[in-house]
Amino acid sequence: MGAFLEQPIAAASARAPNWLQAQQSSALAAWQQATWPSRHTEAWKYTSLKPLRDDYLFADEEAAAGSGVEYERFRELAKPVAGTCSLVFIDGVFCADLSSNELPDAIALCRFGEASEEQSTRIQQYLNSALSQDEHLFAALNTATLRDGVFIDIPNDYRGDAVIEVISIAGAQTKPVVSNQRLLVLAGAGSQATVVERFLSAGDPSASFATGVSELLLSENACLKHFRIHEESGSAIHIGGVHTRLARDARLESFHLALGSELKRLDLVVHHDAPGAHAGITGIYLPRGREHIDYHTTIEHAVPHCTTDEVFRGIIGDNATAVFNGRIHIHQDAQKTLAELSNRNLLPSNHAQINTKPELEIYADDVRCAHGATVAQLDQAALHYLQARGVARREAEMMLSFGFINELIDNVELDTFREQLRTLVTERYFQPAKQTQ
Amino acid sequence: MLVVKDLHAQVEDKEILRGLSLEVGPGEVHAIMGPNGSGKSTLGHILAGHPAYEVTGGSVQFDGKDLLDLETDERAHAGIFLAFQYPVEIPGVSNMEFLKAAVDSVREQREEPPIDSVTFMKRAREACKHASLPVEFLKRGVNEGFSGGEKKRNELIQMILLEPRLCVLDETDSGLDIDALQVVANGVNSMRGEERSFVLVTHYQRLLNYIEPDYVHVLAGGRIVRSGGKELALRLEDEGYAWLEDEVA
């Protein structure tokens, strides 16, 4: 893998807790044996890794400890939007000052660095159990260079309305930094909880590279609402993913939003491990300028009677590029599967590009599967209708684009967060003043 | 108010209007009837500035200004309102936001002060009441999943809130049951005034039982072949269009 991240990799093992070291060495081996993806690698065909530098460093822990005035400027940014409880990391280093300490009683929540013996045993047992490090190279890199992480252990039958928010801010330092966020969620049998992950960049970010890897393990009949919101901009590069396992009758609702930056690649993987599981996955991507966003999703239906409902929509503006690869793999035993995948794209600009590929691989014969991908411009009839009511063309275009995205936000069941998402998208993407293109 | 002279227009190279002339004065209600394919809807679309329709000759003046020179939204600002035959569904954009955006921009262009949200909400509720549409419809996507009748009522709400000076109703009565028809007619009648004119494009005389027109015109072959009072509509109802086509031929 050449000189890429040589220094952080060498320094990593000294920083992580001892009990993680075995996992780190095997991940490091996987990373070192892998070949660097190129355009000839199918999974990376439309996403170039060129924007990555090879001189990223770890952030200084001392500077990021949260006591300095410097980090005070992130207080507003690091406010939880939906959560009653938040953990804030700046360039991968936990910031106690900005985190909220109102932790829900019943939920055992800890950082890897402060895990008790019992907790560390559970983390060791479950970490990497939902992801294949051979297939997901950058997840292996994440494990290999891990120095901290968040472990959320939701007890059986928990039914609180606590919303736990993990906030990662990248690029707060002047040197190019690498950070590795790691989240492990164990949703106990019959539990119901909400977890929000947010990735932000500091006001005027210097180059940063983050690998955010999350594993969500849902036990029998657990119900988890999960949000992963990528708000980074500029040269805040992110390559990460969410890897999920669903036990019998488990129900996952996972919502994804990505605003653009130079390079963003996210792999979402769901394993239906036992009958009756359901995964609802919603995603929105909004690159513009010269930004690039790539979502690769894989749903593994290994057993009968599971359902998947996946909807992704994107607006690709200016010279931006986007990739959507939606794979649903229905194994031979997965009879009675119901799976739907829809990907719709709006291309308001002639120079924008989307590479979309729905991929259905079906080996069972009694299943119902539907998939569709569209690429279109704004509906002329709707534009005319708005204009006929006095709305100027530019504003009409914006209203229609917003409506296209808002339809998905409207379906978010968490009331407070739905409004926040709408505001975020409006302010960051649909603000008239910012539409200079 | 509106002066259409010798208007020729086509859509996709097919000539539809062939020399249509029409004058509408302030406060007047004109009904335009005619067989299928005679160009009735085309007239409405051209007045509203639909991009698919190309004017190849003639002129349209509104308050002495050349209407054809204006963009679609500028025509709305000038006071022209087309109630669509097939209102468009816009999922994801709430009806309320849409109405507010429309009213805001029209008021801004007319140099009227903006309305605050509370007052606007009140007006929108009143408009709903006039149109017999439950206020819950304001929260839904624009026309999203509305029935045919509900869409037409929503057009009426927009018309009430935008306070246009010339309302063109493009077959607003088509597909409406009697109750809905009465609601729309009552709405129109309550908006009638010395300064506001209406052009009702319709297939059926029935609408004119509820909205009494000052003039009735028959459109055939792309131009107006006969004009008269409301008795003309009654004759058309009895005898159809055949006698007119014979006369014109």
Side-chain angles (χ1 to χ4, degrees):
Chain A
M1 299 308 255
F4 183 70
L5 291 187
E6 210 171 20
Q7 224 180 322
I9 289 172
S13 60
R15 294 169 184 257
N18 285 334
W19 50 266
L20 254 179
Q21 305 225 336
Q23 295 230 15
Q24 290 205 298
S25 339
S26 70
L28 187 59
W31 167 258
Q32 280 166 343
Q33 278 158 24
T35 42
W36 190 251
S38 73
R39 292 290 172 116
H40 302 293
T41 316
E42 183 61 25
W44 294 89
K45 195 170 175 184
Y46 300 106
T47 294
S48 164
L49 290 170
K50 273 201 188 120
L52 281 173
R53 311 160 56 123
D54 49 16
D55 60 346
Y56 297 106
L57 298 168
F58 277 134
D60 303 326
E61 301 218 10
E62 299 70 33
S67 53
V69 181
E70 196 193 340
Y71 287 95
E72 205 44 42
R73 67 187 164 113
F74 299 124
R75 188 165 290 279
E76 204 46 41
L77 197 63
K79 256 194 187 158
V81 292
T84 45
C85 149
S86 67
L87 290 130
V88 178
F89 291 80
I90 295 176
D91 286 325
V93 181
F94 179 65
C95 184
D97 265 14
L98 298 184
S99 303
S100 125
N101 41 20
E102 290 167 43
L103 304 181
D105 290 340
I107 297 179
L109 187 149
C110 72
R111 288 185 295 115
F112 291 4
E114 56 171 24
S116 67
E117 204 178 319
E118 190 194 337
Q119 283 169 324
S120 65
T121 310
R122 277 170 78 74
I123 297 173
Q124 281 181 78
Q125 186 184 346
Y126 291 106
L127 196 71
N128 288 324
S129 65
L131 80 88
S132 146
Q133 305 205 79
D134 296 331
E135 275 175 57
H136 297 277
L137 182 62
F138 286 90
L141 176 69
N142 176 286
T143 310
T145 56
L146 213 58
R147 53 179 177 181
D148 206 350
V150 174
F151 176 45
I152 301 175
D153 200 355
I154 304 161
N156 292 352
D157 299 316
Y158 173 80
R159 303 243 158 172
D161 48 12
V163 176
I164 301 163
E165 209 166 312
V166 182
I167 299 168
S168 307
I169 300 175
Q173 308 209 350
T174 46
K175 62 185 184 191
V177 289
V178 58
S179 58
N180 305 291
Q181 292 84 20
R182 190 68 183 240
L183 173 66
L184 175 63
V185 179
L186 298 185
S191 66
Q192 256 183 39
T194 304
V195 174
V196 176
E197 298 182 79
R198 288 171 63 215
F199 296 88
L200 307 147
S201 43
D204 186 13
S206 59
S208 64
F209 169 50
T211 62
V213 175
S214 304
E215 287 177 88
L216 315 175
L217 304 171
L218 279 67
S219 307
E220 265 187 44
N221 205 28
C223 176
L224 183 70
K225 285 197 179 82
H226 166 250
F227 294 84
R228 181 150 168 148
I229 313 298
H230 282 274
E231 302 173 41
E232 312 104 319
S233 57
S235 49
I237 294 173
H238 194 112
I239 302 178
V242 180
H243 302 259
T244 311
R245 284 197 179 279
L246 305 183
R248 191 180 185 96
D249 299 327
R251 192 179 172 86
L252 170 75
E253 292 294 341
S254 189
F255 183 96
H256 299 261
L257 168 68
L259 295 160
S261 64
E262 204 175 354
L263 165 59
K264 220 165 258 180
R265 161 67 181 252
L266 297 152
D267 285 75
L268 316 180
V269 182
V270 175
H271 294 275
H272 287 291
D273 283 347
H278 171 78
I281 303 170
T282 305
I284 296 170
Y285 43 94
L286 302 167
R288 62 178 172 195
R290 297 194 163 273
E291 295 165 345
H292 180 85
I293 299 176
D294 176 350
Y295 271 106
H296 265 63
T297 71
T298 306
I299 317 289
E300 295 286 350
H301 279 272
V303 293
H305 291 289
C306 291
T307 55
T308 296
D309 191 359
E310 183 178 352
V311 182
F312 268 79
R313 286 191 186 179
I315 303 177
I316 303 101
D318 309 327
N319 295 294
T321 50
V323 180
F324 176 78
N325 194 104
R327 176 174 148 84
I328 297 182
H329 182 189
I330 300 179
H331 299 239
Q332 202 171 356
D333 290 338
Q335 301 293 0
K336 307 286 181 192
T337 293
L338 300 180
E340 277 188 39
L341 164 64
S342 148
N343 173 232
R344 288 175 60 190
N345 297 281
L346 264 188
L347 255 70
S349 148
N350 286 334
H351 303 291
Q353 209 186 87
I354 168 76
N355 290 291
T356 172
K357 187 170 80 175
E359 222 183 304
L360 259 57
E361 210 176 316
I362 304 175
Y363 297 101
D365 52 16
D366 186 12
V367 300
R368 205 171 74 207
C369 268
H371 69 92
T374 62
V375 179
Q377 315 246 309
L378 288 172
D379 178 7
Q380 291 301 316
L383 269 180
H384 173 66
Y385 187 67
L386 290 175
Q387 281 183 278
R389 296 300 174 252
V391 181
R393 188 173 177 95
R394 190 60 157 272
E395 196 186 341
E397 287 172 351
M398 213 148 55
M399 280 178 84
L400 289 183
S401 308
F402 176 74
F404 178 69
I405 293 307
N406 191 37
E407 256 189 291
L408 299 187
I409 297 179
D410 266 343
N411 293 334
V412 170
E413 283 172 28
L414 201 61
D415 287 356
T416 48
F417 201 39
R418 186 172 53 236
E419 283 311 313
Q420 299 277 7
L421 281 172
R422 210 171 300 184
T423 309
L424 168 71
V425 168
T426 307
E427 282 178 358
R428 276 287 296 275
Y429 196 83
F430 293 102
Q431 211 61 281
K434 288 185 187 166
Q435 289 254 321
T436 48
Q437 308 88 29
Chain B
M1 181 182 268
L2 178 76
V3 183
V4 182
K5 269 191 197 151
D6 195 27
L7 189 64
H8 287 72
Q10 60 183 35
V11 58
E12 288 169 1
D13 292 333
K14 190 180 162 207
E15 193 177 30
I16 297 181
L17 296 187
R18 299 184 175 94
L20 184 144
S21 296
L22 173 72
E23 272 192 44
V24 178
E28 294 175 358
V29 176
H30 290 246
I32 295 184
M33 306 185 70
N36 289 329
S38 59
K40 298 189 301 293
S41 288
T42 300
L43 176 63
H45 284 310
I46 285 177
L47 293 178
H50 194 293
Y53 294 82
E54 190 192 345
V55 175
T56 52
S59 67
V60 181
Q61 303 252 316
F62 184 66
D63 284 340
K65 279 185 291 188
D66 183 357
L67 188 72
L68 301 178
D69 247 9
L70 303 179
E71 295 293 329
T72 300
D73 49 325
E74 293 170 333
R75 297 179 194 202
H77 302 153
I80 288 186
F81 181 94
L82 171 69
F84 281 59
Q85 184 180 1
Y86 304 110
V88 182
E89 296 195 18
I90 310 179
V93 176
S94 89
N95 213 4
M96 192 67 187
E97 277 167 51
F98 159 65
L99 292 169
K100 181 87 165 75
V103 170
D104 281 352
S105 76
V106 165
R107 288 185 72 92
E108 190 187 327
Q109 295 301 322
R110 289 180 193 160
E111 295 181 355
E112 292 164 353
I115 311 181
D116 64 90
S117 304
V118 179
T119 314
F120 182 77
M121 190 67 209
K122 213 174 125 199
R123 287 193 193 179
R125 286 207 179 116
E126 276 166 22
C128 279
K129 214 163 131 191
H130 273 295
S132 300
L133 198 65
V135 286
E136 286 71 42
F137 279 72
L138 293 174
K139 289 186 198 155
R140 288 170 56 172
V142 177
N143 294 322
E144 189 187 357
F146 289 23
S147 70
E150 286 159 355
K151 283 180 183 166
K152 299 292 171 82
R153 290 173 203 220
N154 203 27
E155 295 290 286
L156 181 62
I157 288 173
Q158 295 164 39
M159 192 160 85
I160 293 170
L161 289 172
L162 288 172
E163 304 176 317
R165 300 190 39 239
L166 174 68
C167 307
V168 182
L169 277 68
D170 187 8
E171 303 204 20
T172 299
D173 52 331
S174 297
L176 290 191
D177 59 33
I178 292 287
D179 292 339
L181 187 68
Q182 244 170 358
V183 167
V184 171
N186 290 344
V188 169
N189 287 330
S190 69
M191 286 181 72
R192 281 176 84 156
E194 282 176 19
E195 288 301 316
R196 184 171 291 135
S197 313
F198 290 84
V199 173
L200 312 173
V201 173
T202 180
H203 254 305
Y204 310 104
Q205 191 272 335
R206 196 179 62 169
L207 175 71
L208 307 179
N209 290 337
Y210 300 99
I211 308 172
E212 195 173 308
D214 300 306
Y215 301 95
V216 174
H217 309 278
V218 180
L219 192 60
R223 58 204 174 86
I224 287 172
V225 293
R226 180 65 71 96
S227 298
K230 59 180 174 179
E231 68 288 345
L232 179 58
L234 293 170
R235 183 164 176 203
L236 289 172
E237 182 82 351
D238 285 346
E239 302 178 26
Y241 293 108
W243 61 277
L244 264 174
E245 280 164 3
D246 290 345
E247 272 186 29
V248 173

